[in-house]
Amino acid sequence: MIYLLDTANLEQIKRAFNLYPMEGVTTNPTIISKQKGSFINILKEIRSIIGENKMLHAQAISTTCEEIVKEAEYLNGILGENFYIKVPVIPEGIKAMKALKKKGIKITATAVFTAQQALIAANAGADFVAPYVNRIDNISGNGVDVVGQIVELFANGNVNTKILAASFKNAQQVNEVALLGAESVTVNAEIMDKLIDHPLTTWSVDQFVKDFESVYGEGAVAYNAK
Ligand code: G3P
């Protein structure tokens, strides 16, 4: 399973891409609205930070097929080879996915809350489907179960569309969708840090340094320890 970062915050993107094996960035209109600057400039800056080879997913704002396609063509022309247009799984969005597929524009079906929405989007040509795990949990559903159903439906039908699970509140939700076979997740910067964080790891590293320095002196490391 691969990891993407769900933010448009440039500092967070720089930090996460520097530290972790990130494969891309996802945004949505809400995420973009939290940043200062023009919409297209924010996306261009993200592209320049992550490079041409990483995935960049950005959402169409329109709600009619014709307008969604126009937005997608505009963004796709500017944001390079690994650009994915996020299209909500509303009826006009599904229609737009069919049209975008014919045009060779990569598609991420978004705002997915049920397995059937995911399957219909996949049949319409989506490359990724993005189930919103925590938003499902928040309405007393089970987001991880929905991801499990999508995994099953895609496997049963030999569907090539991949799952990009989104909307996480904690590291455990991420691990559960990973175990079910989701190919990718998009998480915010805080959850990305939490996925690698463990108090016993931190404690163990501190202890290793302390024990080593007690014999070889303060600041001793492999290349200068005598
Ligand atoms: O990118 C869409 C998804 O990540 C939404 O997440 O945390 O706003 O539910 P959230």
Side-chain angles (χ1 to χ4, degrees):
M1 189 188 77
I2 59 171
Y3 301 88
L4 288 84
L5 204 63
D6 200 23
T7 185
N9 180 301
L10 303 182
E11 292 313 310
Q12 290 179 357
I13 293 169
K14 280 182 203 160
R15 179 177 176 277
F17 275 69
N18 185 33
L19 292 173
Y20 305 129
M22 305 308 302
E23 293 301 332
V25 167
T26 56
T27 68
N28 64 35
T30 306
I31 284 171
I32 293 274
S33 72
K34 290 179 182 152
Q35 303 304 312
K36 291 198 180 80
S38 89
F39 173 66
I40 196 63
N41 283 345
I42 293 168
L43 291 173
K44 281 184 187 168
E45 284 187 67
I46 294 173
R47 172 53 83 208
S48 83
I49 293 167
I50 69 178
E52 287 299 316
N53 295 330
K54 302 292 180 179
M55 291 187 281
L56 176 55
H57 301 237
Q59 194 162 327
I61 322 295
S62 309
T63 51
T64 63
C65 169
E66 199 185 339
E67 289 297 317
I68 291 169
V69 170
K70 262 208 249 176
E71 284 191 68
E73 286 179 318
Y74 169 73
L75 293 173
N76 193 57
I78 295 173
L79 295 169
E81 178 66 16
N82 279 308
F83 172 71
Y84 290 76
I85 187 72
K86 289 176 70 181
V87 181
V89 289
I90 54 176
E92 287 284 319
I94 299 296
K95 184 179 174 188
M97 289 176 207
K98 294 194 294 175
L100 291 165
K101 183 71 180 172
K102 285 190 191 134
K103 290 174 183 286
I105 295 177
K106 299 187 197 65
I107 306 154
T108 296
T110 196
V112 171
F113 290 88
T114 72
Q116 281 303 310
Q117 289 176 325
L119 188 56
I120 291 166
N123 289 352
D127 298 282
F128 285 96
V129 292
Y132 282 16
V133 175
N134 194 61
R135 291 194 195 186
I136 296 170
D137 288 358
N138 276 346
I139 54 161
S140 306
N142 188 322
V144 169
D145 280 355
V146 172
V147 172
Q149 289 171 20
I150 299 170
V151 170
E152 196 176 332
L153 287 179
F154 285 6
N156 290 347
N158 281 326
V159 175
N160 288 327
T161 304
K162 293 189 165 84
I163 297 171
L164 172 56
S167 176
F168 291 101
K169 196 186 171 200
N170 59 57
Q172 179 60 14
Q173 290 167 329
V174 175
N175 195 47
E176 286 182 29
V177 302
L179 286 167
L180 287 171
E183 290 87 0
S184 52
V185 289
T186 186
V187 296
N188 66 33
E190 190 191 351
I191 290 179
M192 195 63 217
D193 284 337
K194 284 200 191 306
L195 289 169
I196 196 73
D197 183 48
H198 196 290
L200 281 180
T201 304
T202 308
W203 180 85
S204 299
V205 171
D206 289 346
Q207 195 62 40
F208 291 143
V209 171
K210 202 171 139 209
D211 290 345
F212 196 79
E213 287 187 338
S214 73
V215 172
Y216 294 104
E218 203 181 320
V221 290
Y223 57 80
N224 65 15
K226 297 206 171 66

PDB file of all heavy atoms in Angstrom, residues 6-7 26-31 34 59 86 110-111 113 130-136 138 164-169 186-188 191, ligand 1:
ATOM      1  N   ASP A   6      -2.721  14.323   2.178  1.00  0.00           N
ATOM      2  CA  ASP A   6      -3.998  14.991   1.908  1.00  0.00           C
ATOM      3  C   ASP A   6      -3.923  16.425   2.440  1.00  0.00           C
ATOM      4  O   ASP A   6      -4.457  16.729   3.516  1.00  0.00           O
ATOM      5  CB  ASP A   6      -5.111  14.199   2.614  1.00  0.00           C
ATOM      6  CG  ASP A   6      -6.487  14.477   2.034  1.00  0.00           C
ATOM      7  OD1 ASP A   6      -6.569  14.909   0.879  1.00  0.00           O
ATOM      8  OD2 ASP A   6      -7.481  14.236   2.751  1.00  0.00           O
ATOM      9  N   THR A   7      -3.264  17.289   1.712  1.00  0.00           N
ATOM     10  CA  THR A   7      -3.099  18.676   2.147  1.00  0.00           C
ATOM     11  C   THR A   7      -2.647  19.536   0.973  1.00  0.00           C
ATOM     12  O   THR A   7      -2.128  19.014  -0.017  1.00  0.00           O
ATOM     13  CB  THR A   7      -2.045  18.782   3.279  1.00  0.00           C
ATOM     14  OG1 THR A   7      -2.004  20.137   3.758  1.00  0.00           O
ATOM     15  CG2 THR A   7      -0.646  18.423   2.804  1.00  0.00           C
ATOM     16  N   THR A  26      -3.004  14.755  -2.469  1.00  0.00           N
ATOM     17  CA  THR A  26      -4.417  14.932  -2.826  1.00  0.00           C
ATOM     18  C   THR A  26      -4.913  16.232  -2.203  1.00  0.00           C
ATOM     19  O   THR A  26      -4.495  16.604  -1.108  1.00  0.00           O
ATOM     20  CB  THR A  26      -5.287  13.765  -2.303  1.00  0.00           C
ATOM     21  OG1 THR A  26      -5.113  13.657  -0.888  1.00  0.00           O
ATOM     22  CG2 THR A  26      -4.925  12.451  -2.961  1.00  0.00           C
ATOM     23  N   THR A  27      -5.781  16.915  -2.938  1.00  0.00           N
ATOM     24  CA  THR A  27      -6.416  18.104  -2.373  1.00  0.00           C
ATOM     25  C   THR A  27      -7.916  17.984  -2.633  1.00  0.00           C
ATOM     26  O   THR A  27      -8.348  17.128  -3.406  1.00  0.00           O
ATOM     27  CB  THR A  27      -5.909  19.398  -3.046  1.00  0.00           C
ATOM     28  OG1 THR A  27      -6.380  19.428  -4.393  1.00  0.00           O
ATOM     29  CG2 THR A  27      -4.399  19.484  -3.038  1.00  0.00           C
ATOM     30  N   ASN A  28      -8.651  18.840  -1.982  1.00  0.00           N
ATOM     31  CA  ASN A  28     -10.073  19.007  -2.329  1.00  0.00           C
ATOM     32  C   ASN A  28     -10.392  20.484  -2.148  1.00  0.00           C
ATOM     33  O   ASN A  28      -9.537  21.245  -1.646  1.00  0.00           O
ATOM     34  CB  ASN A  28     -10.970  18.062  -1.502  1.00  0.00           C
ATOM     35  CG  ASN A  28     -10.930  18.348  -0.023  1.00  0.00           C
ATOM     36  OD1 ASN A  28     -10.812  19.501   0.391  1.00  0.00           O
ATOM     37  ND2 ASN A  28     -11.023  17.324   0.806  1.00  0.00           N
ATOM     38  N   PRO A  29     -11.558  20.955  -2.546  1.00  0.00           N
ATOM     39  CA  PRO A  29     -11.835  22.392  -2.458  1.00  0.00           C
ATOM     40  C   PRO A  29     -11.714  22.937  -1.034  1.00  0.00           C
ATOM     41  O   PRO A  29     -11.264  24.074  -0.834  1.00  0.00           O
ATOM     42  CB  PRO A  29     -13.278  22.492  -2.983  1.00  0.00           C
ATOM     43  CG  PRO A  29     -13.399  21.330  -3.926  1.00  0.00           C
ATOM     44  CD  PRO A  29     -12.619  20.222  -3.280  1.00  0.00           C
ATOM     45  N   THR A  30     -12.072  22.147  -0.045  1.00  0.00           N
ATOM     46  CA  THR A  30     -11.952  22.598   1.348  1.00  0.00           C
ATOM     47  C   THR A  30     -10.485  22.756   1.734  1.00  0.00           C
ATOM     48  O   THR A  30     -10.085  23.757   2.346  1.00  0.00           O
ATOM     49  CB  THR A  30     -12.646  21.585   2.289  1.00  0.00           C
ATOM     50  OG1 THR A  30     -13.984  21.395   1.846  1.00  0.00           O
ATOM     51  CG2 THR A  30     -12.635  22.057   3.729  1.00  0.00           C
ATOM     52  N   ILE A  31      -9.692  21.776   1.370  1.00  0.00           N
ATOM     53  CA  ILE A  31      -8.252  21.813   1.689  1.00  0.00           C
ATOM     54  C   ILE A  31      -7.589  23.020   1.017  1.00  0.00           C
ATOM     55  O   ILE A  31      -6.812  23.744   1.643  1.00  0.00           O
ATOM     56  CB  ILE A  31      -7.597  20.485   1.221  1.00  0.00           C
ATOM     57  CG1 ILE A  31      -7.956  19.361   2.203  1.00  0.00           C
ATOM     58  CG2 ILE A  31      -6.091  20.626   1.063  1.00  0.00           C
ATOM     59  CD1 ILE A  31      -7.547  17.974   1.738  1.00  0.00           C
ATOM     60  N   LYS A  34      -8.141  26.539   2.531  1.00  0.00           N
ATOM     61  CA  LYS A  34      -7.426  26.897   3.773  1.00  0.00           C
ATOM     62  C   LYS A  34      -6.083  27.565   3.496  1.00  0.00           C
ATOM     63  O   LYS A  34      -5.417  28.032   4.410  1.00  0.00           O
ATOM     64  CB  LYS A  34      -7.198  25.630   4.612  1.00  0.00           C
ATOM     65  CG  LYS A  34      -8.497  25.088   5.203  1.00  0.00           C
ATOM     66  CD  LYS A  34      -8.275  23.833   5.995  1.00  0.00           C
ATOM     67  CE  LYS A  34      -9.610  23.316   6.505  1.00  0.00           C
ATOM     68  NZ  LYS A  34      -9.619  21.866   6.695  1.00  0.00           N
ATOM     69  N   GLN A  59      -9.508  18.467  -7.323  1.00  0.00           N
ATOM     70  CA  GLN A  59     -10.933  18.226  -7.577  1.00  0.00           C
ATOM     71  C   GLN A  59     -11.578  19.267  -8.480  1.00  0.00           C
ATOM     72  O   GLN A  59     -11.276  20.458  -8.391  1.00  0.00           O
ATOM     73  CB  GLN A  59     -11.651  18.203  -6.221  1.00  0.00           C
ATOM     74  CG  GLN A  59     -13.056  17.629  -6.290  1.00  0.00           C
ATOM     75  CD  GLN A  59     -13.546  17.235  -4.918  1.00  0.00           C
ATOM     76  OE1 GLN A  59     -12.744  16.810  -4.080  1.00  0.00           O
ATOM     77  NE2 GLN A  59     -14.831  17.365  -4.666  1.00  0.00           N
ATOM     78  N   LYS A  86     -10.163  14.756  -9.586  1.00  0.00           N
ATOM     79  CA  LYS A  86     -11.103  14.149  -8.630  1.00  0.00           C
ATOM     80  C   LYS A  86     -12.518  14.584  -9.013  1.00  0.00           C
ATOM     81  O   LYS A  86     -12.791  15.784  -9.142  1.00  0.00           O
ATOM     82  CB  LYS A  86     -10.773  14.599  -7.209  1.00  0.00           C
ATOM     83  CG  LYS A  86      -9.484  13.979  -6.683  1.00  0.00           C
ATOM     84  CD  LYS A  86      -9.131  14.516  -5.317  1.00  0.00           C
ATOM     85  CE  LYS A  86     -10.069  14.039  -4.236  1.00  0.00           C
ATOM     86  NZ  LYS A  86      -9.692  14.610  -2.914  1.00  0.00           N
ATOM     87  N   THR A 110     -14.423  10.597  -6.225  1.00  0.00           N
ATOM     88  CA  THR A 110     -14.309  11.036  -4.831  1.00  0.00           C
ATOM     89  C   THR A 110     -15.680  11.190  -4.169  1.00  0.00           C
ATOM     90  O   THR A 110     -16.709  11.064  -4.822  1.00  0.00           O
ATOM     91  CB  THR A 110     -13.480  12.338  -4.751  1.00  0.00           C
ATOM     92  OG1 THR A 110     -13.070  12.537  -3.398  1.00  0.00           O
ATOM     93  CG2 THR A 110     -14.255  13.551  -5.251  1.00  0.00           C
ATOM     94  N   ALA A 111     -15.631  11.436  -2.848  1.00  0.00           N
ATOM     95  CA  ALA A 111     -16.848  11.498  -2.025  1.00  0.00           C
ATOM     96  C   ALA A 111     -17.616  10.173  -2.124  1.00  0.00           C
ATOM     97  O   ALA A 111     -18.826  10.161  -2.284  1.00  0.00           O
ATOM     98  CB  ALA A 111     -17.719  12.701  -2.415  1.00  0.00           C
ATOM     99  N   PHE A 113     -19.082   6.911  -0.518  1.00  0.00           N
ATOM    100  CA  PHE A 113     -19.559   6.465   0.799  1.00  0.00           C
ATOM    101  C   PHE A 113     -20.131   5.055   0.774  1.00  0.00           C
ATOM    102  O   PHE A 113     -20.433   4.498   1.828  1.00  0.00           O
ATOM    103  CB  PHE A 113     -20.608   7.455   1.340  1.00  0.00           C
ATOM    104  CG  PHE A 113     -19.991   8.772   1.724  1.00  0.00           C
ATOM    105  CD1 PHE A 113     -19.842   9.781   0.784  1.00  0.00           C
ATOM    106  CD2 PHE A 113     -19.516   8.987   3.007  1.00  0.00           C
ATOM    107  CE1 PHE A 113     -19.236  10.985   1.112  1.00  0.00           C
ATOM    108  CE2 PHE A 113     -18.908  10.189   3.351  1.00  0.00           C
ATOM    109  CZ  PHE A 113     -18.768  11.188   2.402  1.00  0.00           C
ATOM    110  N   ALA A 130     -12.148   6.919  -4.033  1.00  0.00           N
ATOM    111  CA  ALA A 130     -11.737   7.411  -2.717  1.00  0.00           C
ATOM    112  C   ALA A 130     -12.887   7.323  -1.703  1.00  0.00           C
ATOM    113  O   ALA A 130     -13.690   8.261  -1.584  1.00  0.00           O
ATOM    114  CB  ALA A 130     -11.238   8.852  -2.838  1.00  0.00           C
ATOM    115  N   PRO A 131     -12.970   6.191  -0.978  1.00  0.00           N
ATOM    116  CA  PRO A 131     -13.963   6.091   0.092  1.00  0.00           C
ATOM    117  C   PRO A 131     -13.536   6.922   1.300  1.00  0.00           C
ATOM    118  O   PRO A 131     -12.366   6.908   1.683  1.00  0.00           O
ATOM    119  CB  PRO A 131     -13.981   4.594   0.429  1.00  0.00           C
ATOM    120  CG  PRO A 131     -12.670   4.056  -0.046  1.00  0.00           C
ATOM    121  CD  PRO A 131     -12.195   4.943  -1.160  1.00  0.00           C
ATOM    122  N   TYR A 132     -14.491   7.648   1.881  1.00  0.00           N
ATOM    123  CA  TYR A 132     -14.216   8.559   2.999  1.00  0.00           C
ATOM    124  C   TYR A 132     -14.454   7.824   4.317  1.00  0.00           C
ATOM    125  O   TYR A 132     -15.543   7.890   4.896  1.00  0.00           O
ATOM    126  CB  TYR A 132     -15.136   9.769   2.906  1.00  0.00           C
ATOM    127  CG  TYR A 132     -14.724  10.821   1.893  1.00  0.00           C
ATOM    128  CD1 TYR A 132     -13.795  10.559   0.896  1.00  0.00           C
ATOM    129  CD2 TYR A 132     -15.286  12.100   1.956  1.00  0.00           C
ATOM    130  CE1 TYR A 132     -13.435  11.534  -0.025  1.00  0.00           C
ATOM    131  CE2 TYR A 132     -14.932  13.087   1.041  1.00  0.00           C
ATOM    132  CZ  TYR A 132     -14.009  12.802   0.056  1.00  0.00           C
ATOM    133  OH  TYR A 132     -13.661  13.773  -0.840  1.00  0.00           O
ATOM    134  N   VAL A 133     -13.428   7.178   4.800  1.00  0.00           N
ATOM    135  CA  VAL A 133     -13.556   6.249   5.932  1.00  0.00           C
ATOM    136  C   VAL A 133     -14.127   6.924   7.183  1.00  0.00           C
ATOM    137  O   VAL A 133     -15.138   6.480   7.729  1.00  0.00           O
ATOM    138  CB  VAL A 133     -12.186   5.592   6.236  1.00  0.00           C
ATOM    139  CG1 VAL A 133     -12.262   4.715   7.490  1.00  0.00           C
ATOM    140  CG2 VAL A 133     -11.717   4.784   5.031  1.00  0.00           C
ATOM    141  N   ASN A 134     -13.505   7.996   7.627  1.00  0.00           N
ATOM    142  CA  ASN A 134     -13.965   8.567   8.903  1.00  0.00           C
ATOM    143  C   ASN A 134     -15.319   9.263   8.800  1.00  0.00           C
ATOM    144  O   ASN A 134     -16.084   9.275   9.757  1.00  0.00           O
ATOM    145  CB  ASN A 134     -12.914   9.522   9.470  1.00  0.00           C
ATOM    146  CG  ASN A 134     -13.206   9.840  10.911  1.00  0.00           C
ATOM    147  OD1 ASN A 134     -13.218   8.924  11.738  1.00  0.00           O
ATOM    148  ND2 ASN A 134     -13.503  11.091  11.213  1.00  0.00           N
ATOM    149  N   ARG A 135     -15.607   9.831   7.626  1.00  0.00           N
ATOM    150  CA  ARG A 135     -16.934  10.465   7.474  1.00  0.00           C
ATOM    151  C   ARG A 135     -18.032   9.399   7.540  1.00  0.00           C
ATOM    152  O   ARG A 135     -19.149   9.681   7.982  1.00  0.00           O
ATOM    153  CB  ARG A 135     -17.025  11.260   6.172  1.00  0.00           C
ATOM    154  CG  ARG A 135     -16.145  12.497   6.191  1.00  0.00           C
ATOM    155  CD  ARG A 135     -16.478  13.453   5.069  1.00  0.00           C
ATOM    156  NE  ARG A 135     -15.414  14.431   4.894  1.00  0.00           N
ATOM    157  CZ  ARG A 135     -15.468  15.469   4.073  1.00  0.00           C
ATOM    158  NH1 ARG A 135     -16.541  15.666   3.345  1.00  0.00           N
ATOM    159  NH2 ARG A 135     -14.457  16.310   3.977  1.00  0.00           N
ATOM    160  N   ILE A 136     -17.728   8.185   7.080  1.00  0.00           N
ATOM    161  CA  ILE A 136     -18.697   7.091   7.204  1.00  0.00           C
ATOM    162  C   ILE A 136     -18.844   6.711   8.687  1.00  0.00           C
ATOM    163  O   ILE A 136     -19.960   6.578   9.201  1.00  0.00           O
ATOM    164  CB  ILE A 136     -18.256   5.863   6.362  1.00  0.00           C
ATOM    165  CG1 ILE A 136     -18.237   6.214   4.877  1.00  0.00           C
ATOM    166  CG2 ILE A 136     -19.184   4.667   6.630  1.00  0.00           C
ATOM    167  CD1 ILE A 136     -17.599   5.168   3.970  1.00  0.00           C
ATOM    168  N   ASN A 138     -18.446   8.595  11.136  1.00  0.00           N
ATOM    169  CA  ASN A 138     -19.122   9.697  11.848  1.00  0.00           C
ATOM    170  C   ASN A 138     -20.639   9.691  11.715  1.00  0.00           C
ATOM    171  O   ASN A 138     -21.316  10.376  12.468  1.00  0.00           O
ATOM    172  CB  ASN A 138     -18.595  11.050  11.345  1.00  0.00           C
ATOM    173  CG  ASN A 138     -17.315  11.429  12.052  1.00  0.00           C
ATOM    174  OD1 ASN A 138     -16.966  10.832  13.062  1.00  0.00           O
ATOM    175  ND2 ASN A 138     -16.617  12.420  11.529  1.00  0.00           N
ATOM    176  N   LEU A 164      -8.203   4.387  -3.181  1.00  0.00           N
ATOM    177  CA  LEU A 164      -7.421   5.436  -2.519  1.00  0.00           C
ATOM    178  C   LEU A 164      -8.252   5.849  -1.306  1.00  0.00           C
ATOM    179  O   LEU A 164      -9.058   6.787  -1.367  1.00  0.00           O
ATOM    180  CB  LEU A 164      -7.201   6.625  -3.477  1.00  0.00           C
ATOM    181  CG  LEU A 164      -6.565   7.884  -2.910  1.00  0.00           C
ATOM    182  CD1 LEU A 164      -5.209   7.603  -2.261  1.00  0.00           C
ATOM    183  CD2 LEU A 164      -6.402   8.943  -3.988  1.00  0.00           C
ATOM    184  N   ALA A 165      -8.075   5.115  -0.224  1.00  0.00           N
ATOM    185  CA  ALA A 165      -8.900   5.383   0.959  1.00  0.00           C
ATOM    186  C   ALA A 165      -8.520   6.744   1.544  1.00  0.00           C
ATOM    187  O   ALA A 165      -7.337   7.107   1.597  1.00  0.00           O
ATOM    188  CB  ALA A 165      -8.734   4.272   1.981  1.00  0.00           C
ATOM    189  N   ALA A 166      -9.549   7.499   1.965  1.00  0.00           N
ATOM    190  CA  ALA A 166      -9.346   8.879   2.416  1.00  0.00           C
ATOM    191  C   ALA A 166     -10.185   9.143   3.656  1.00  0.00           C
ATOM    192  O   ALA A 166     -10.959   8.280   4.084  1.00  0.00           O
ATOM    193  CB  ALA A 166      -9.747   9.837   1.300  1.00  0.00           C
ATOM    194  N   SER A 167     -10.012  10.337   4.210  1.00  0.00           N
ATOM    195  CA  SER A 167     -10.756  10.767   5.393  1.00  0.00           C
ATOM    196  C   SER A 167     -10.469   9.852   6.576  1.00  0.00           C
ATOM    197  O   SER A 167     -11.279   9.001   6.936  1.00  0.00           O
ATOM    198  CB  SER A 167     -12.266  10.799   5.094  1.00  0.00           C
ATOM    199  OG  SER A 167     -12.990  11.123   6.266  1.00  0.00           O
ATOM    200  N   PHE A 168      -9.290  10.065   7.171  1.00  0.00           N
ATOM    201  CA  PHE A 168      -8.897   9.272   8.340  1.00  0.00           C
ATOM    202  C   PHE A 168      -8.780  10.164   9.565  1.00  0.00           C
ATOM    203  O   PHE A 168      -8.352  11.311   9.471  1.00  0.00           O
ATOM    204  CB  PHE A 168      -7.538   8.604   8.096  1.00  0.00           C
ATOM    205  CG  PHE A 168      -7.596   7.521   7.058  1.00  0.00           C
ATOM    206  CD1 PHE A 168      -7.160   7.760   5.762  1.00  0.00           C
ATOM    207  CD2 PHE A 168      -8.105   6.269   7.361  1.00  0.00           C
ATOM    208  CE1 PHE A 168      -7.218   6.769   4.802  1.00  0.00           C
ATOM    209  CE2 PHE A 168      -8.176   5.269   6.412  1.00  0.00           C
ATOM    210  CZ  PHE A 168      -7.727   5.526   5.124  1.00  0.00           C
ATOM    211  N   LYS A 169      -9.157   9.585  10.699  1.00  0.00           N
ATOM    212  CA  LYS A 169      -8.981  10.327  11.949  1.00  0.00           C
ATOM    213  C   LYS A 169      -7.864   9.730  12.793  1.00  0.00           C
ATOM    214  O   LYS A 169      -7.344  10.375  13.695  1.00  0.00           O
ATOM    215  CB  LYS A 169     -10.290  10.309  12.732  1.00  0.00           C
ATOM    216  CG  LYS A 169     -10.335  11.341  13.829  1.00  0.00           C
ATOM    217  CD  LYS A 169     -11.578  11.206  14.662  1.00  0.00           C
ATOM    218  CE  LYS A 169     -11.477  12.106  15.879  1.00  0.00           C
ATOM    219  NZ  LYS A 169     -12.417  11.651  16.913  1.00  0.00           N
ATOM    220  N   THR A 186      -4.711   8.272   1.505  1.00  0.00           N
ATOM    221  CA  THR A 186      -4.257   9.651   1.613  1.00  0.00           C
ATOM    222  C   THR A 186      -4.572  10.124   3.015  1.00  0.00           C
ATOM    223  O   THR A 186      -5.692   9.960   3.502  1.00  0.00           O
ATOM    224  CB  THR A 186      -4.856  10.561   0.516  1.00  0.00           C
ATOM    225  OG1 THR A 186      -4.234  11.849   0.630  1.00  0.00           O
ATOM    226  CG2 THR A 186      -6.368  10.671   0.571  1.00  0.00           C
ATOM    227  N   VAL A 187      -3.531  10.660   3.670  1.00  0.00           N
ATOM    228  CA  VAL A 187      -3.661  11.031   5.089  1.00  0.00           C
ATOM    229  C   VAL A 187      -3.120  12.436   5.299  1.00  0.00           C
ATOM    230  O   VAL A 187      -2.264  12.898   4.527  1.00  0.00           O
ATOM    231  CB  VAL A 187      -2.880  10.056   5.998  1.00  0.00           C
ATOM    232  CG1 VAL A 187      -3.455   8.654   5.908  1.00  0.00           C
ATOM    233  CG2 VAL A 187      -1.392  10.046   5.676  1.00  0.00           C
ATOM    234  N   ASN A 188      -3.588  13.100   6.352  1.00  0.00           N
ATOM    235  CA  ASN A 188      -3.025  14.422   6.635  1.00  0.00           C
ATOM    236  C   ASN A 188      -1.649  14.271   7.283  1.00  0.00           C
ATOM    237  O   ASN A 188      -1.229  13.160   7.635  1.00  0.00           O
ATOM    238  CB  ASN A 188      -3.996  15.273   7.457  1.00  0.00           C
ATOM    239  CG  ASN A 188      -4.232  14.717   8.851  1.00  0.00           C
ATOM    240  OD1 ASN A 188      -3.331  14.130   9.456  1.00  0.00           O
ATOM    241  ND2 ASN A 188      -5.434  14.884   9.370  1.00  0.00           N
ATOM    242  N   ILE A 191      -1.456  12.560  10.784  1.00  0.00           N
ATOM    243  CA  ILE A 191      -1.624  11.096  10.795  1.00  0.00           C
ATOM    244  C   ILE A 191      -0.408  10.411  10.178  1.00  0.00           C
ATOM    245  O   ILE A 191       0.021   9.356  10.642  1.00  0.00           O
ATOM    246  CB  ILE A 191      -2.947  10.687  10.120  1.00  0.00           C
ATOM    247  CG1 ILE A 191      -4.103  11.120  11.021  1.00  0.00           C
ATOM    248  CG2 ILE A 191      -3.012   9.182   9.858  1.00  0.00           C
ATOM    249  CD1 ILE A 191      -5.473  10.812  10.508  1.00  0.00           C
TER     250      ILE A 191
HETATM  251  O1  G3P B   1      -9.694  14.361   0.404  1.00  0.00           O
HETATM  252  C1  G3P B   1     -10.914  14.058   0.933  1.00  0.00           C
HETATM  253  C2  G3P B   1     -10.923  13.497   2.302  1.00  0.00           C
HETATM  254  O2  G3P B   1      -9.614  13.359   2.723  1.00  0.00           O
HETATM  255  C3  G3P B   1     -11.719  14.231   3.318  1.00  0.00           C
HETATM  256  O3  G3P B   1     -11.164  14.064   4.573  1.00  0.00           O
HETATM  257  O4  G3P B   1     -10.854  14.518   6.962  1.00  0.00           O
HETATM  258  O5  G3P B   1     -12.211  16.109   5.577  1.00  0.00           O
HETATM  259  O6  G3P B   1     -13.093  13.847   6.132  1.00  0.00           O
HETATM  260  P1  G3P B   1     -11.886  14.674   5.874  1.00  0.00           P
END
